[in-house]
Amino acid sequence: GEVEVGLRPNDLVLSRGAGPQATVDVVEHLGWEMLVHLQLGAHRLAARAETAVMGSLKPGDKVAVAAERAHLFSAVSGLRVQ
């Protein structure tokens, strides 16, 4: 059946390299890390990133997004698919 994909902010990896490009909407600076709110097509995502690795990000910047891990859920029941 149909599944929905769940991505946790700490499971997303941002880079300035190649890959699906997302647009930065909002950056929450939290000291050594930041929470980055993104738009990827019709999807809104949030990713955690180390400030020392990503440097300065601002709304409108483009970043590549990769998922280290995804969680699958049944679109009908909402239960996790193993």
Side-chain angles (χ1 to χ4, degrees), residues 7 9 11-15 18-20 40 45 47 63-69:
L7 300 168
D11 291 337
L12 293 177
V13 177
L14 302 182
S15 73
L40 180 62
L45 306 171
V63 293
V65 179
E68 286 188 333
R69 183 174 24 189

Side-chain angles (χ1 to χ4, degrees), residues 45-68:
L45 306 171
R48 293 175 82 166
E50 290 186 29
T51 303
V53 173
M54 287 305 297
S56 176
L57 289 176
K58 62 186 180 310
D61 284 353
K62 300 285 187 191
V63 293
V65 179
E68 286 188 333

Side-chain angles (χ1 to χ4, degrees), residues 3 5 8 12-13 16 19 23 26 28-30 35-37 49-50 53 59 63-64 67 72-75 80:
V3 296
V5 178
R8 293 186 176 133
L12 293 177
V13 177
R16 303 253 186 200
T23 303
V26 175
E28 295 180 55
H29 296 279
L30 306 170
L35 186 59
V36 184
H37 299 267
E50 290 186 29
V53 173
V63 293
L72 303 178
F73 301 89
S74 166
R80 187 169 180 180

